[in-house]
Amino acid sequence: MAALSLLFATHSYRPAPFIIFDEIDASLDNHNIKQVVHYIRRKSKSQQIIVVSHKNQFFSKAEALIGICSNVC
């Protein structure tokens, strides 16, 4: 959570046109996932944000979903 706070503060100071997060919710509990989702939803109005997640609590709040799977026998 501290690393996310530092990253969000850095982006508030000097925003990038887009951000890509890879499983930032892996070590978060449900309460903190909701907090991060709320923050990202607010920020997504001014920049594009792509998030890779395996948790339903996170990706169920997305504007768009892209699923990738393979047919493994």
Side-chain angles (χ1 to χ4, degrees), residues 14-69:
R14 185 170 286 193
F18 66 92
I19 304 172
I20 300 173
F21 292 120
D22 185 18
E23 295 190 44
I24 60 172
D25 58 348
S27 62
L28 299 179
D29 61 350
N30 288 340
H31 174 73
N32 285 323
I33 288 174
K34 289 179 185 176
Q35 297 294 325
V36 171
V37 167
H38 180 68
Y39 180 82
I40 289 175
R41 295 284 296 181
R42 278 195 335 237
K43 285 297 188 180
S44 68
K45 300 198 184 337
S46 61
Q47 58 191 161
Q48 186 170 352
I49 301 174
I50 299 170
V51 179
V52 176
S53 177
H54 296 287
K55 293 189 177 181
N56 186 32
Q57 298 91 343
F58 206 97
F59 66 76
S60 66
K61 306 291 189 245
E63 286 183 22
L65 293 175
I66 299 173
I68 300 173
C69 63

